[in-house]
Amino acid sequence: MKHQIAIVLNLGGSKALTVAKRIRECGVYSEVYPYTLSKEELEAINPQGILVTGSCDNVHATAEERIPWLKEMGCPTLEVGSGTPLSIEALSGGVGKKCLDNFLKITCNCTGDWSLAQFVETTVNNIKETVGNHNVAVGVTGGVDSAVTAALLAKAVGKGCTAVFIDTGLLRKGENPFQQHRRRVHNS
């Protein structure tokens, strides 16, 4: 089932993922893209709504100034963050969360039928279909992305999944998750 999607266009800054998370909490699937995404690429995604967040060199520059073709999309757009009445922090509760929910469900006509549990179930089923009876090796670096990928693969394939730790040299001393696991097993 293809869900409706709200796109977060990031003008720069660190809060775009938080905005995407708040959108998903409203039951709408969301993805984050840089503001340099082309009009054609955005049209291919066909979003129900667009949220623009962050700031570039000029914090007073509006989304319209940064992305001049945005109005041509004919898609509801909301600016969140620097220089707007709706701050990113406000999205986590109360009036801000209600404003976001209203934007998505009333202005963008989103049904709010997306859920993380359903996403996991669909992803696991897709992995099972793709992998079949084969074994899978997955590289885990200690970051969130590779850990989530390994967890989804393990859920789909079970014992047919082998996680291989890749030491990128970027973890803090004593942060190796496999060493920690071995310690817990040996100390039990």
Side-chain angles (χ1 to χ4, degrees), residues 125-161:
N125 288 337
N126 288 342
I127 292 169
K128 285 179 180 179
E129 187 178 308
T130 302
V131 172
N133 293 327
H134 295 91
N135 292 327
V136 176
V138 58
V140 180
T141 62
V144 173
D145 293 343
S146 64
V148 169
T149 301
L152 289 169
L153 281 166
K155 186 170 182 147
V157 183
K159 291 186 179 189
C161 178

Side-chain angles (χ1 to χ4, degrees), residues 167-184:
D167 188 352
T168 61
L170 299 175
L171 295 175
R172 287 181 227 132
K173 186 176 180 180
E175 249 189 0
N176 179 329
F178 288 93
Q179 288 175 344
Q180 291 171 4
H181 175 70
R182 274 192 234 111
R183 264 187 253 132
R184 282 195 301 272

Side-chain angles (χ1 to χ4, degrees), residues 7-24 30-34 51-55 80 88 91:
I7 295 297
V8 177
L9 289 180
N10 189 6
L11 294 175
S14 60
K15 301 294 185 178
L17 293 176
T18 301
V19 174
K21 180 180 178 181
R22 298 294 176 246
I23 293 169
R24 292 184 199 123
S30 181
E31 293 180 356
V32 178
Y33 292 94
L51 287 91
V52 183
T53 185
S55 61
V80 181
I88 293 166
L91 296 178

